[in-house]
Every structure is written in C-alpha cells, then in structure tokens.
Amino acid sequence: MKLTQELLREHAFDSDVEPHRFRSLPEMSNRSASDLNNLELKPTLSQLHADLKLYEHHFEWLNKVSKKHHHPSLPKLVEMIREMKSLINLLHRQMLRVEAPRLTPATPSLPPHLPYQFDVLQSSHELLQHFKLFCDWAYRAFISLKPKVTVVQ
C-alpha cells in the first residue's frame, strides 16, 4: 500500500485520466465496508489470491512497457512487484493451512501497444489508483478475517 501511494504521488495528474484501459482488473464497486463483517475465510482468501495474481500480471506488463520508455519510477515498480509476489506466496501458504481452494485468475486484458510515454503515465496512474483501492479493501478484509483464522487453526 505504501509503495502504491508513493508511486501515485510521482504520477500526480492535474486532470482526470481516461478510465477503463484495464478491463480485466478485479471489480471493486461490489465490495463495501459493510461486507467485511460477513466475509468467509476460505472464499475470501481464494479471491484475494486470484486478484493479486491478476494485478501481478498487470504490473509486470507495466514494468515491461515502462522499461521501453525508460520510466524514472522503474525501481519502485520493480520493488512493488517483488513485494506483491511475496504477499502472494504468504497468502498461498495461508490458503494451504486452511485448505482454501485455489481459483484460476482471469486472463488479463491488457491495453494495446503504448506508443507514447504519456500513454504509459496514464496507464500506470489508472492501474495504481485501482490497486490502491484494492489494497485498502484487502487490508480491511485481512483484519476482519484475522479472528476467523485463529478459530480454524
């Protein structure tokens, strides 16, 4: 979450970015704070894992595109991908402990070739904004699931 916020500060735009370049990102509009009390452990862990895998694909694509344009935020992006992989592995181990099923992540639908650096900036901004929202919800979900994990173990 911290790395996402730092990257967003570096990509601050004065105007709105064209939304919906990434059609395969996890849907966040159907997740609300009121749902947190009703989360079930196994399906939520499975869904969070699948969602993180999908974000991983998107950020690896962004990393590849950013390298072509020599983007200055590349080191932080690489660090964020590394942290994401670590979180995915921790989440997978927890899923194994509680015998949560592993979902197949959706196939990412990535934007076509981005010819200009501004297109890369817009795409990274949109992806980071979406991921920030996901991280906020996931953090709250983990906190609400914590008592349920201790009951299962």
Side-chain angles (χ1 to χ4, degrees), residues 35-109:
D35 295 336
L36 292 171
N37 294 329
N38 302 322
L39 292 178
E40 294 179 33
L41 180 63
K42 292 178 185 183
T44 304
L45 289 178
S46 298
Q47 190 60 56
L48 287 170
H49 183 268
D51 291 350
L52 276 170
K53 291 293 286 181
L54 193 55
Y55 278 111
E56 178 187 27
H57 288 295
H58 282 81
F59 279 109
E60 285 176 344
W61 168 85
L62 182 61
N63 184 39
K64 187 173 122 184
V65 170
S66 296
K67 281 180 184 174
K68 288 180 185 175
H69 290 277
H70 308 288
H71 200 277
S73 297
L74 212 51
K76 276 190 184 156
L77 186 58
V78 169
E79 182 182 354
M80 192 169 98
I81 292 168
R82 188 174 48 249
E83 292 293 328
M84 191 179 303
K85 287 178 186 293
S86 175
L87 182 58
I88 288 168
N89 288 332
L90 288 169
L91 187 52
H92 186 253
R93 284 198 302 266
Q94 187 63 40
M95 288 170 57
L96 291 173
R97 254 188 232 128
V98 299
E99 298 177 356
R102 188 171 181 171
L103 303 177
T104 305
T107 304
S109 99

Side-chain angles (χ1 to χ4, degrees), residues 1 28 31-32 36 39 44-45 47-49 51-52 55 87 91 130-146:
M1 191 180 258
M28 295 305 298
R31 300 178 190 186
S32 67
L36 292 171
L39 292 178
T44 304
L45 289 178
Q47 190 60 56
L48 287 170
H49 183 268
D51 291 350
L52 276 170
Y55 278 111
L87 182 58
L91 187 52
H130 202 281
F131 189 62
K132 181 181 178 225
L133 182 62
F134 170 80
C135 286
D136 183 55
W137 191 89
Y139 177 77
R140 293 167 195 257
F142 284 132
I143 288 173
S144 73
L145 290 174
K146 189 175 181 179

Side-chain angles (χ1 to χ4, degrees), residues 16-23 126:
D16 289 334
V17 182
E18 175 191 327
H20 311 301
R21 290 176 186 252
F22 302 98
R23 303 205 183 281
E126 180 184 347

Side-chain angles (χ1 to χ4, degrees), residues 115-131:
Y116 303 107
Q117 187 163 359
F118 187 70
D119 293 324
V120 175
L121 286 172
Q122 283 187 314
S123 293
S124 65
H125 187 73
E126 180 184 347
L127 186 54
L128 288 165
Q129 285 285 16
H130 202 281
F131 189 62

